[in-house]
Structure formats: structure tokens, C-alpha cells
Amino acid sequence: MQSLLHAYNPLLHKVNDKTDVVSEEALSQHVGADKAQWADATKSYWSCIDGRETEPVFGTPGGDYSELLMGLAVLEKNAGITLTEEQVNDLFSSWLDTISAERKFYMHTDDHCVPHLLEAVGLPKDSDVRQIPADKVDAALEVVDQPQNIGCGHIKFALIHASDYGLSADLPKFLIRAFYKRLWSGDAEKLHLAVVKGPHEEKAVVMVKEAQTPASESAAFAPKLSPTFTESGAVSVFMAHPGFVHSGIRRPVASFVVKQLEERFAGASDVNESAVVAQLDELANVQLGQTVPRLAGHMPIYELSVKLN
């Protein structure tokens, strides 16, 4: 990874005409070679693009949750079915079987929604949302999928506007409940629930892409970058990695979908991984086109081209 860091040459390019709030010079410094943390994108969870994340991330809208959600939507389309909640629970468990405890599966909420959820089930606002008492779990599962209890904007919009996001009506809530049901069962070793803090302070959107196809030995490695930095106060950006999401999470999800279609749903086994990746890409573009205007329509958008010299 050290050799990759030495070869890292980020090129920042603004792609829309929205007014800058943070200077391009400051943004360029923030994503410079000394800020990148190289990691294997297949062995790390994928965070949301939310600018309140304080650590370097691999970013995709909604994180691991939304990538798997799109996979389940594509599975429904190819199998010609609408998944039940029981099927979603089972498929979520099967997905977790494919990842390591070190990688984990990511979803996030925030410190505004957590107290609301806790109060709704009669718990103190400072309780640990990751450890709901057994006698409160059923009540919590009844309300955890309500919009006011969802701290991720992308996930919240996908639930409220499921059709616009290319999703069946109940699929987002089924997967939310599957995550929390597993979390609160005590079998949470492979789950990572992030609780981001504070108000949104994002001033721009940064899309990290590859300027060229990397060498095969480095293809899985990508630069993690922090969305948060300071310039005359709290400043952050929405940090997305569309140039690396295929190797990191989308192809593994596609492979999982193909396997489930072959093993669980007769007559859908002729769908190959490349076709599923293309469907996932199409759905991701639809969803990005819904979320960006809602969360960042007024912000400048930059492409960060990562060139490995």
C-alpha cells in the first residue's frame, strides 16, 4: 500500500456551476496524498456518503445497506416476485454468511433519531441503541422503520419514495428490520451500526473515480478519505467512491444475487453476474438522481480522479 500512496495523484475537477462555499484549494489539500488511507475495498465495510462521518471512508449512498437493498430489488425483478419479510430476513442472514467479522455490514443512523426511537419504546434517551433490552425489542422493531427514526437521508428517502427509487413498497423497511432484529438478538458480530453526530455541514459533493484502470495487483485497493475537515469552522463534504464501488461491494452483491437466483428461484438461473451488475448500476443511477437533488441540489459537485502513476 505504501507504493500506491507514493503513486497517488488526485485530480480535482468541478462538474457543475453551483457556488463554492469551501475553496477548491482547501478541498484539494483535504484529499491530498497525505490524507488518503489505502485499504482493500473488498475487506472493509462501505459507509454512507454522509458528511458527518469523522473517519476515512469508502462511500456509497446508504452504505452496505443500500447496496444489498438494490441487490434484493434486482433479485425480485429477475425472479418475478415480491419478497416477503421472512425471505428478506433469510437472505440477509445468507449475505452475512459471505462476509467476515472483520469486514462487517454497515448501516447508520444519527444522534437526532436515536433518542426519538428510544423514547418511543420507553427507554432513556441516553440508552445504547445497539443493546435494546429483550423485553423492548418487539416494540422497537415496530417503530424502527418509521421515517422519524431513520438517521440516514438516503435510506429515509428510499423508504418514503420507494417507487421513485425503483423499489417495491415494503423492501426498504423489511431490510431495516432484518438489520435491527439481528443487532438486537445478540448476534451482532458482523454488524456495524454507526451513530453520526451533529447537524449536516456538507458544503460539496466529491465523487472519487479512477483516472485509469489500475494494475491487477492493486485493483482491490482504493483511497479511504474523510468527509470531515475544518476551514474556518466545521466543514464537510458528501464523499462517494463510484469509481471503486464495483470491486468493493457491487460485484460481490451481484455474485450473491446470481447464486440466490440459481439456488432459490427456479427459472432465473440464466441471469449472469455481468447482467446483474448492469442492473445494479442502472438502479444506483436512478437512486443517486433522487437523493442528490434532495440533499445536495444546491452544492458544487467535484470529481476526484485518482491516477496511479
Side-chain angles (χ1 to χ4, degrees):
M1 287 187 287
Q2 190 65 26
S3 62
L4 290 177
L5 180 59
H6 287 159
Y8 173 65
N9 180 21
L11 305 172
L12 198 65
H13 173 63
K14 189 176 178 182
V15 297
N16 69 359
D17 60 358
K18 302 299 181 181
T19 303
D20 291 322
V21 176
V22 57
S23 70
E24 189 168 342
E25 179 182 2
L27 190 54
S28 294
Q29 291 176 354
H30 181 66
V31 298
D34 60 327
K35 302 296 195 301
Q37 291 187 10
W38 286 90
D40 188 334
T42 67
K43 296 180 179 179
S44 173
Y45 59 75
W46 277 69
S47 303
C48 187
I49 66 174
D50 194 301
R52 295 173 293 176
E53 290 282 0
T54 57
E55 299 297 324
V57 301
F58 291 134
T60 189
D64 285 329
Y65 166 90
S66 288
E67 291 291 330
L68 182 59
L69 181 68
M70 291 191 297
L72 297 183
V74 168
L75 186 152
E76 285 186 328
K77 177 180 178 180
N78 285 284
I81 62 166
T82 300
L83 291 167
T84 66
E85 184 165 10
E86 182 179 0
Q87 287 173 315
V88 171
N89 286 333
D90 191 28
L91 287 162
F92 182 59
S93 293
S94 295
W95 171 253
L96 293 181
D97 288 342
T98 71
I99 67 174
S100 69
E102 290 73 28
R103 185 214 181 277
K104 300 189 183 297
F105 180 93
Y106 169 102
M107 188 167 72
H108 88 84
T109 184
D110 66 19
D111 64 352
H112 172 73
C113 291
V114 166
H116 191 279
L117 170 63
L118 294 170
E119 285 189 311
V121 297
L123 290 171
K125 291 191 295 185
D126 60 353
S127 301
D128 185 354
V129 71
R130 300 175 184 88
Q131 297 181 352
I132 296 292
D135 63 340
K136 298 288 188 179
V137 167
D138 287 346
L141 289 172
E142 287 296 317
V143 297
V144 74
D145 60 352
Q146 293 179 358
Q148 64 268 30
N149 295 324
I150 299 171
C152 172
H154 181 79
I155 295 174
K156 183 183 299 185
F157 292 137
L159 183 144
I160 296 172
H161 307 286
S163 178
D164 292 339
Y165 277 70
L167 304 169
S168 56
D170 291 327
L171 191 60
K173 67 176 67 174
F174 287 168
L175 189 55
I176 290 169
R177 289 207 289 255
F179 178 93
Y180 281 101
K181 187 179 294 185
R182 179 72 171 246
L183 181 72
W184 294 332
S185 74
D187 185 14
E189 183 184 22
K190 293 185 176 182
L191 302 182
H192 178 71
L193 176 64
V195 182
V196 297
K197 297 180 179 180
H200 283 282
E201 299 284 359
E202 295 91 350
K203 308 301 182 187
V205 179
V206 176
M207 313 286 279
V208 187
K209 299 184 176 182
E210 290 176 285
Q212 61 187 29
T213 302
S216 59
E217 64 269 15
S218 64
F221 285 89
K224 281 187 169 183
L225 294 164
S226 175
T228 306
F229 63 109
T230 299
E231 185 198 58
S232 302
V235 176
S236 65
V237 298
F238 289 107
M239 184 69 71
H241 286 67
F244 298 92
V245 72
H246 282 90
S247 59
I249 179 65
R250 197 162 294 165
R251 283 198 193 103
V253 166
S255 178
F256 173 77
V257 168
V258 170
K259 182 178 180 182
Q260 300 309 311
L261 287 169
E262 290 173 346
E263 295 181 354
R264 297 174 187 252
F265 303 99
S269 60
D270 59 338
V271 180
N272 61 46
E273 184 176 317
S274 294
V276 172
V277 168
Q279 292 174 46
L280 289 171
D281 285 344
E282 181 179 0
L283 186 54
N285 287 333
V286 167
Q287 295 190 358
L288 192 66
Q290 291 291 324
T291 293
V292 169
R294 288 184 166 97
L295 290 180
H298 60 292
M299 296 182 191
I301 298 175
Y302 291 90
E303 287 187 356
L304 180 68
S305 297
V306 175
K307 183 177 180 181
L308 301 180
N309 295 328

